[in-house]
Amino acid sequence: MKKTVSVLLALCLSFCLCIPTFAADTSLVECALQTLTGTYVRFTEAVVGVADDFSAEGVAHDDWFRVTIDPAMIEIIERERLEFVYLDGDICDESQHRATNDFGMVLHGLLLADGTRADVTIDARDFEPYHGKYLTTDTKNRLYSETWNSELLRYEYDVAVGSVWTLEEANDEYVDDYLYAHTEILFEGAAPDVQGNTYTFNTPGDYVYYVRCCGGFHVQKAVIHVHTKSEMKRMLFLPTLVEGFGLAMGVGYWLGPWWLPISFPLGALHALANLFLVLIA
């Protein structure tokens, strides 16, 4: 009996000793965000820098898979708070795995204000999505198309000259004030005309669009291809017909095979109606 009590006491003591360590670990992180192409961590004032041998690892699902992060893809920013940015821009098997499987992260060699070192483990569930400034697309315009580029992990849009996008802001309940204050809307290549919260694409060309909040950390990236209206109508002619037929046929098939003969003429009418709206847009 005494041996059993001694074992239980030893286990309790070990557990109690682990609690402060775990609490100190997580208390060093003020904000942690993940996007498809990057990770951002901001530390509390207790963290003042990193050691010479600072390193980071990506950790998947209860430590069953680890990826050593290339130091060249890490940016350390020293502003009001120490900030860590991991730019997962080179798409490869590991980064694809990380982007789609919610990696956690282990950061080694943080320097604390009292001169000691610390390692921080951030579970995948502790990361938050970005909430803040972003542009909303001109989806009400018929001359509009969007595709997802799975290789570069970004959206690409085809729009007509005159397309108007709007700068939106997330609900205050979810906005991190520090990141919000450091968020920029950037364009490479052509630039839209900006008036207040509206962005108008008046010139044909390719607009590379970023939402960047800290250093090189891009919360969102997209390419906007702006065409003349006649070019957009030619581009959308065949897809509009196919989409119209496909929707009507899908509804007919869902209702039952006996509806398919009726779906053909309905599909034609639906496709022609959509095409008419595109042509007069």
Side-chain angles (χ1 to χ4, degrees), residues 4 45 52-53 57 69-70 74 101 118 125 153 158 173 187-188 190 219-220 258 261 270 273:
T4 302
E45 292 178 333
D52 292 337
D53 59 348
E57 297 175 289
I69 296 176
D70 183 354
I74 296 174
N101 289 273
R125 291 166 294 187
L153 299 179
D158 289 284
E173 179 183 354
F187 285 90
E188 291 180 0
V219 177
Q220 184 180 1
W258 52 88
H270 183 67

Side-chain angles (χ1 to χ4, degrees), residues 177-189:
D177 291 337
Y178 184 94
L179 286 184
Y180 184 83
H182 293 89
T183 296
E184 302 173 278
I185 306 294
L186 303 174
F187 285 90
E188 291 180 0

